[in-house]
């Protein structure tokens, strides 16, 4: 009953007129998906250059020598001196972060080991750090991208509220506690990694810049950036910035000189209004939070893995009808549907199979605003028929990404 349903669309309206782009728009687009995407390393030793294999062995030898027979050095439960492939993955991350310069890589590794011990990073997942009000709002792990990387979302817009800001960042001690919590969130993502050649060895970071108080968060942002770059090398496969305001290009130009070319190649920048379109390229809609044009809600995890969604697009000037057929009498159909950046009309109706029966307006046509989340609804039919979900984009000339899913549950008894 969950098979893909046909989508019918009429002819599109004429193509929209092309307008001259502003300098800022051109600048933003130049940094988006049109540039070659970052290709993640496989960590297979056989794929390394001879010089890189030599550097890996040298790092192992120097680490062994510097340990002076001390207790086993480890990170994320993996012994760095074990010589197995998981240890190689970690060592290669430090080498790549320092362009395979062995001395620099060793120095970075030793500083990281010292920091993890001082910070009690190995046990941080077991600690209750509070910040319940920030869970699922400011920084949180949610689902995976299309390649299987865990995805971490970051949104600091709540801190535009001065009372909230003071409560979290009011003094140095509060800032330290927040940093501990932020590290804990990152460690949750790293706990899902394979640390195996050919496996999933890094996460995806999605950062929402909407309403972010850039001046107030400068100190905290610098702390987080420095802490992550120094102690979590090559742990992020891609950094996606969404709801990017016009001034971000200025900030980016300031930070850019301090970032390696390798780091900059992982960046994806999406201006305001293009959030869903950008995220759909990397993440399936059932794994994208509803506030970003996806179908994922916090309560979904209580019911096991998310049900896959069907993706489609709504071109400018067209109406799309999704027909879900074969619904039996007494069955209940539950559906979710979303269009990125809505600004269009939506309706749902049940069409009985029997001649002479009346079509039921389950949801009357209404305009859906740009910031409205996915629609979740259900309907129990008294007779056999089909459900038709309609999205009308005839008033717009912009193509939009969209997704829907549904489940039909048969009833044991049919009520009259």
């Amino acid at each position: 009953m969950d098979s893909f349903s046909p989508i019918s669309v009429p002819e599109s309206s004429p193509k929209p007129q092309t307008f001259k782009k502003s300098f800022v728009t051109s600048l933003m687009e130049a940094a988006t998906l049109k540039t070659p995407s970052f290709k993640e390393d496989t960590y297979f030793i056989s794929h390394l250059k001879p010089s890189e294999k030599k550097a890996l062995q040298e790092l192992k030898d120097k680490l062994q020598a510097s340990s002076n027979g001390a207790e086993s050095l480890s990170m994320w439960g993996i012994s760095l001196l074990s010589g197995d492939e998981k240890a190689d993955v970690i060592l290669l991350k430090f080498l790549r972060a320092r362009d395979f310069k062995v001395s620099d890589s060793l120095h970075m590794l030793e500083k990281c080991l010292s920091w993890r011990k001082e910070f009690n990073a190995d046990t941080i997942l077991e600690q209750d750090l509070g910040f319940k009000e920030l869970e699922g709002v400011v920084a949180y792990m949610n689902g995976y991208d299309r390649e299987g990387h865990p995805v971490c979302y970051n949104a600091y817009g709540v801190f535009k509220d001065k009372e909230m800001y003071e409560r979290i960042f009011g003094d140095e001690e509060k800032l330290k506690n927040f940093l501990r919590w932020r590290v804990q969130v990152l460690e949750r993502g790293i706990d899902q990694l394979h640390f195996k050649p050919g496996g999933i060895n890094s996460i995806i970071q999605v950062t929402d810049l909407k309403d972010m108080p850039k001046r107030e968060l400068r100190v905290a942002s610098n702390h987080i950036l420095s802490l992550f770059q120094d102690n979590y090398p090559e742990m992020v496969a891609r950094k996606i910035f969404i709801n990017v305001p016009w001034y971000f290009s200025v900030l980016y130009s300031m930070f850019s000189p301090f970032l390696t070319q390798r780091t900059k190649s992982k960046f994806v920048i999406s201006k305001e209004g293009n959030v869903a379109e950008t995220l759909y390229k990397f993440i399936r809609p059932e794994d994208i939070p509803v506030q970003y044009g996806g179908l994922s809600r916090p309560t979904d995890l209580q019911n096991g893995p998310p049900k896959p969604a069907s993706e489609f697009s709504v071109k400018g000037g067209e109406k799309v009808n999704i027909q879900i057929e074969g619904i039996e009498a007494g069955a209940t159909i539950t559906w979710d549907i979303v269009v990125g950046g809505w600004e269009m009309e939506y309706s749902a109706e049940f069409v009985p199979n029997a001649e002479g029966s009346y079509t039921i307006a389950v949801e009357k046509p209404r305009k859906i605003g740009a910031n409205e989340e996915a629609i979740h609804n259900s309907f129990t039919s008294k007779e056999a028929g089909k459900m038709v979900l309609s999205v009308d984009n005839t008033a717009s000339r912009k193509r939009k990404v969209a997704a829907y899913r549904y489940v039909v549950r048969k009833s044991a008894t049919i009520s009259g």
Side-chain angles (χ1 to χ4, degrees):
M1 210 62 182
D2 296 343
S3 59
F4 180 75
S5 298
I7 297 178
S8 59
V9 297
E11 292 185 3
S12 302
S13 61
K15 290 184 178 179
Q17 180 181 354
T18 302
F19 296 96
K20 186 177 181 180
K21 297 176 182 177
S22 68
F23 171 74
V24 173
T25 300
S26 300
L27 184 63
M28 296 302 291
E29 289 186 353
T32 59
L33 305 178
K34 296 178 181 179
T35 56
S37 60
F38 172 76
K39 186 175 181 180
E40 188 179 10
D41 298 298
T42 63
Y43 293 95
F44 284 109
I45 301 300
S46 59
H47 292 178
L48 297 177
K49 300 175 183 177
S51 60
E52 293 173 341
K53 290 181 182 179
K54 181 181 178 183
L56 176 59
Q57 188 57 52
E58 285 183 15
L59 180 59
K60 290 179 180 180
D61 294 341
K62 288 193 174 185
L63 187 62
Q64 181 74 57
S66 65
S67 67
N68 295 320
E71 61 183 76
S72 178
L73 304 177
S74 66
M75 285 184 182
W76 302 294
I78 300 168
S79 172
L80 300 180
L81 301 176
S82 63
D84 67 10
E85 59 183 16
K86 289 192 172 185
D88 287 346
V89 169
I90 294 177
L91 296 178
L92 282 170
K93 286 181 179 293
F94 282 89
L95 283 167
R96 288 197 169 99
R98 292 296 179 264
D99 296 323
F100 281 88
K101 296 175 182 176
V102 178
S103 295
D104 291 348
S105 301
L106 178 63
H107 180 64
M108 181 185 189
L109 179 57
E110 290 177 332
K111 283 187 65 177
C112 179
L113 284 166
S114 177
W115 171 81
R116 291 188 67 82
K117 184 176 181 180
E118 179 183 341
F119 203 80
N120 291 321
D122 289 334
T123 60
I124 201 166
L125 290 180
E126 304 164 12
Q127 301 171 24
D128 182 1
L129 303 177
F131 296 100
K132 298 298 182 185
E133 61 185 324
L134 304 186
E135 295 282 353
V137 178
V138 172
Y140 53 97
M141 302 303 303
N142 189 94
Y144 305 86
D145 75 348
R146 293 179 184 271
E147 298 175 348
H149 300 93
V151 182
C152 180
Y153 290 86
N154 307 275
Y156 297 101
V158 295
F159 295 122
K160 68 179 180 179
D161 181 288
K162 291 185 178 180
E163 184 180 336
M164 169 73 87
Y165 176 84
E166 287 298 323
R167 193 159 66 248
I168 304 300
F169 301 111
D171 55 47
E172 189 172 342
E173 189 63 29
K174 289 180 178 179
L175 175 59
K176 285 175 62 177
N177 290 336
F178 174 81
L179 290 175
R180 285 194 63 78
W181 174 77
R182 187 59 191 82
V183 167
Q184 185 184 62
V185 174
L186 178 59
E187 289 280 342
R188 289 175 191 158
I190 292 176
D191 192 49
Q192 300 177 52
L193 302 183
H194 302 161
F195 289 108
K196 182 179 180 181
I200 301 300
N201 299 306
S202 54
I203 69 172
I204 301 293
Q205 289 267 17
V206 177
T207 300
D208 183 0
L209 298 183
K210 186 176 182 179
D211 296 329
M212 178 177 174
K214 54 186 185 301
R215 291 181 181 177
E216 292 83 349
L217 287 179
R218 184 176 294 142
V219 173
S221 297
N222 288 343
H223 272 289
I224 294 171
L225 180 64
S226 176
L227 192 150
F228 285 6
Q229 283 198 329
D230 291 345
N231 302 292
Y232 296 91
E234 300 296 314
M235 287 296 182
V236 179
R238 184 173 283 110
K239 303 171 189 282
I240 305 174
F241 295 91
I242 58 176
N243 288 316
V244 175
W246 64 269
Y247 58 77
F248 182 81
S249 58
V250 178
L251 292 174
Y252 181 72
S253 65
M254 293 170 61
F255 279 109
S256 186
F258 303 100
L259 302 174
T260 65
Q261 185 59 43
R262 183 178 178 80
T263 297
K264 287 186 284 188
S265 71
K266 302 177 183 180
F267 284 7
V268 174
I269 299 174
S270 176
K271 60 184 179 181
E272 293 176 283
N274 285 351
V275 174
E277 182 180 359
T278 298
L279 293 182
Y280 276 40
K281 292 178 183 291
F282 304 103
I283 309 168
R284 289 190 55 80
E286 64 266 22
D287 281 319
I288 297 174
V290 288
Q291 63 266 34
Y292 298 132
L295 299 173
S296 176
R297 292 181 171 86
T299 55
D300 289 351
L301 296 179
Q302 300 172 7
N303 303 316
K307 176 177 170 54
S310 297
E311 300 176 50
F312 64 102
S313 63
V314 188
K315 295 179 181 178
E318 74 177 6
K319 180 179 180 180
V320 175
N321 295 317
I322 301 170
Q323 301 185 41
I324 305 172
E325 301 180 332
I327 302 174
E328 299 177 2
T332 298
I333 176 172
T334 302
W335 69 92
D336 297 277
I337 185 170
V338 68
V339 179
W342 288 90
E343 286 296 342
M344 64 176 67
E345 197 172 79
Y346 159 79
S347 63
E349 60 182 22
F350 182 78
V351 182
N353 291 338
E355 291 185 21
S357 293
Y358 293 100
T359 295
I360 300 172
V362 180
E363 292 185 271
K364 294 181 179 180
R366 64 185 178 94
K367 180 74 174 291
I368 307 295
N371 297 319
E372 289 195 48
E373 297 178 351
I375 288 171
H376 176 79
N377 205 350
S378 62
F379 175 77
T380 300
S381 62
K382 292 186 177 180
E383 51 187 318
K386 65 180 178 180
M387 180 67 69
V388 180
L389 309 177
S390 300
V391 285
D392 189 344
N393 198 31
T394 53
S396 171
R397 295 187 173 183
K398 183 178 180 181
R399 174 189 174 278
K400 299 180 180 180
V401 295
Y404 77 99
R405 63 184 175 187
Y406 68 91
V407 61
V408 177
R409 293 184 174 85
K410 297 179 181 180
S411 176
T413 58
I414 302 175
S415 57

